[in-house]
Amino acid sequence: MPDEKLKIGVYTCYCGGNISHTVKCEQVAKLMEGQPDVVISRTNMSLCSDAGQSQIEQDIKELGVNRVVIGACAPSLHEQTFRGTVMRAGLNPYLYHHIGLREQDSWVHACDCEGATCKAVRLMAAGVAKARLLQPLESIQLRAEKQALVIGGGVAGLRAALDIARQDLRVVLVEKSPFLGGRMAQLETVFPTGEDARELLHRLIEQVVAHPNITIFTQTEITGVSGYVGNYGVQLLQHSRGVSDEDSEKMIEACQRLVPDEFNYGLSERKVIYRAYPGCYPPSAAVDWEYYFDHPLQVNGKQVVLKDEPKTFDVNAGAIVVATGFDPYEPRHGEYGYAEIPEVVTLPQLIRRLALKKDDEIFQWNGHPVRDVALIHCVGSREVEGVDEPHEDGQVNNYCSRVCCTAALHMTEELHQRFPGLNIYDLYQDIRTYGRGHEEYYRHAMENCVRFVRYHGAERPEVTTAPDGDSHPVLVRVKDSLTYNEELEIPVDLVVLAVGMMPRDIDNLVKMLKVSRGNDRFLLEVHPKLRPVETAVNGVVLAGTAQGPMNIQESLSAASAAAAKVVSLLGQGKVELQPFVAAVDAEKCDGTGACVEACVYEGAIALETFEENGRQVKRAVVTPANCSGCGACVSVCPNRAIDVQGWTLAQYEAMVDAIAMDIVDLVEAA
Amino acid sequence: MNNLHVDALVIGGGIAGMQAALDLGDQGFQVALVEREPSIGGKMITLSKVFPTLDCCSCITTPKMSAVAHHPNIKLFTYCEVQSVDENGAGFDVAILKKPRYVDENKCTGCRQCEYECPITVPSPFDRNLGSYRAIRVPFSTAVPQTAVLDIDNCLLCGKCEKICPVEAVDFTQQPEIFGIDTTAIVLATGFEMTDLGAKKEYGGGELPNVIDPLMMERFLAPTGPYGRVLRPGDGMEPTTIAYVQCAGSRDQTQGIEYCSRVCCMYAIKQAMLISGALPLAEITIYYMDIRTFGKGYEQFYQNAQAMGVEFVRGKVASIREDENHNPVLRVELTEEGRLIERTHDLVVLSLGMIPTASPQVFGLLPSSDGFISLPALNASPCATERPGIFVTGTASGPMDIVDSIITAGAAASDASAYIRSKIGMRVEQSEVAYA
Amino acid sequence: MTTPTTQTKNISRGEMLKHLREQHTETVARTQALLKEQKRVQQEICKVLRDNPKTVPEIAEAVGMPAHEVLWYVASFKKYGLIVENGMCSDYPLYQKAQEK
């Protein structure tokens, strides 16, 4: 930049009290005012407000401020906001430096006002020192692929794909299993409307299949992800279907191998060549390669052995939607008697069982009629550390699975309609029928004489086999807080566990996409309020239960919101990346290659051969789009020939000098 | 006057409306945002901190407000109300009433000299009438736009504001005006109101001065509240024992509100935790029927509150009276012990519920039995209304918290965008998967 | 940001105000009464706070008004700089007149 007089504007935010209740902002601002090159130093109750931002804009326009230093909340919240402010005022947005006085100072030193103020002074002085060395930068503009990849063909994935397609982008929808529909297909009726689940699903699938912008790949997995927002390269592996449309019936008939049917949670069996359910999509049968084992088939008098010929291919995507869904919690062996007592079943299993036995007039289980049922809430949810046994990863599921209370009471209504004489005991902690149209299920359950028993999390109900000769096969023991903690012993014919939701096992995908998971193991959003469907990885968004327990209506909304984000990102056909990437000073570089060795990001830096004064020389070359700006290269270069733009070594040195300065000197420099 | 033409009209400038407008504007659509109050921000800008992260609410709302005000594709109309919505074949003709501010928006700089000069002080609904402002005022410190507005019904017409204004922005000659916007799609984000404080006579809300509503407590906890601290409105005392009465405006057939208002358990627990910070010696009791902390991070929030010492008592409060010192006395059945007790607290907060702000008839829509806008395709398109081209988001479609409001705003924007494209006739090209 | 233009009448300012006051006689009369009452209360409260800081109940007793009304006035005076807080008396904040600048 040509000789332009430095005019630094310093702004110390009160952050609505969050900073000012510990840090004496006025003192900080006063000390900054006297620093060399600082032309204005202000405080503000809330810099991010319109009034606060206008003040900064005004100072740039009227006072000629050409470097801005802001001390406020963490950069993750408002760095982008203030870049916008600075840009609107006509200044290069990278001539501004943000200091996190809240998370880094006032919030962590809440009991030490003097110390916190001192630290704030140092942090702001460091910011001013850096500001003196800031240079204008341009964000990196890249062409963006106007195509999105949606991972998961359940209701959320389908909805996201359709929404993106209807907003004029292309979509590749990838589903791991041979059939679309996910977990919604395993339901019969949905709350609160009582509509048929598969009918709703099919209407959605029809629209997705019919849309010319969407290409669907079933039996397909992701095997590799490279690139960055706007230009992800995704490697896919698609297994063969194994049978064609016309051959489906013949092949199903010829197949003799049976395996547990996961669609019915193991309550029934299916063939290894199968359709998930009548009316599924794609309509042709598929071979379950995991269990096929080269089993020969007799077809038209000949022996046929089917082969899986997996294809790998690559697809480009500007953005990725993760809609991988959930698994119902599988109780441990013996948890409430599960897998040990045949009369203990999960709610999803019961839904399947009632569907399989749609024509039964009498409710039977394990050979006996069912007259009394116990329904237990919060199985695998709301677990308490120290009380409940941790799972394989050492964690307990301390979250609420959100949908189970309504699902359970919806089931009591279905049972009451089908089997009016049935006696139901509902064992719960809190009834969470929070949604619109959900409270009605609670009221109906009470009117239909469901007996509610309330237990405390610390003392969960116990399920045991009843002694021989008892009227019922199972006993449920529980302390009922609604009757002064009296211990009840309830004889029942069936125990239904309202199990919670667990995220699917997508460890490989998580590693490939580099997304984060929360303590609850579900995928993590950047900020639960400001950016609820985006991940920390630019261009990767979340849709549906991959992010956390939610019902169908909520999954649909989340999927549509994710679609909106994708369209905003890719709609213009280009994306902007921040310029904080490594840059090589070719004159200082002598091709030692230490940087290439130190770099862990694929494709970020390489040695290339150039001709210089008739000789062949090697010089380091950075590919900005692949560089994460981590600075590992900077630390190993023997010639200081490489630097991260916007975060240079000289800037760091100036910041450290300022921090190490004696406060007395700082005051005197003012 | 010619109608303004836009692609989408968003009605309501709260968090859902702002987010929907931003999502649509980011896609390149021309958006008009109409808000009936003099400033956008809705209910969210009045809150202190939000659950479960306890972020400062202002800090996350004001940037959205600012972004809306500065977005090149969004035109903001404040202090305006929709009068009628008519179909015109290609979209909707919407008649909008612009209420007179008596201040020229183009001249006013928000300096507030008029406010300080004005001799009349009136209760401020922003502070739930416990705080005040002048007859002419900038509605609140972070208002967008930062423009003064004159309340003519409380105005002396003394002319002091006009005299002191350095840019001659005060204009008593303003009249209400009707103007038109024609738009392809409409997004309703008209938000909610709290159920009435006095609806349940047994609770004494509106009569007993120390029985308050939760938005009042939000104002006490906010940095710019009426007292600058938590005090009880009856006599300005710092309360030591505070009670929350859950389901005070929901799940109650006697009030005609049978649904759950979804946010009250969380906001009560949140306020309890914030009060513990502001008044470390305070004892807080939450009287509840069911604790509904169902969202991401919410159950952990509940567990933290219990660990912090907030007392949770299961019991539906039957009635509230006051003693000679205006201390509220609660009569409640302790369901876990099976006995009735009376307990005195310094301050009682009724956890009121949500009802929709707008009656949907002006949009040609009918309410559902619960009063909120009817959603005919709940399990297919949760933002669709009975009328094609009109979408709904946020609490106008049912009680929900901020996270769900932002998500449904994105969903409504997605729906509206697809609708607008289909109407404008954007060609859908034959697709080819882009292979690497 | 474009806004629809407002209509203006071409008459003198004094005439215009007079005309408006005629249109709004009811509200103006009510507001005048309100102003009178607010001025009276302000005077009374300032008199009570002349010597030493007082709590809201103390002020209320001295001026003979309900405590919750006094609190509203006190909050308003605090907002517009007439009163400041100064310490506590058990559970009640103390208020005193702001220093004249």
Side-chain angles (χ1 to χ4, degrees), chain B residues 193-215:
Chain B
E193 296 300 330
M194 296 235 97
T195 55
D196 186 24
L197 182 60
K200 205 166 172 74
K201 291 278 168 282
E202 294 90 332
Y203 286 168
E207 309 235 331
L208 307 181
N210 293 320
V211 172
I212 64 173
D213 76 38
L215 288 178

Side-chain angles (χ1 to χ4, degrees), chain B residues 353-368:
Chain B
M354 287 185 171
I355 47 175
T357 297
S359 93
Q361 277 89 345
V362 69
F363 311 114
L365 296 170
L366 294 171
S368 261

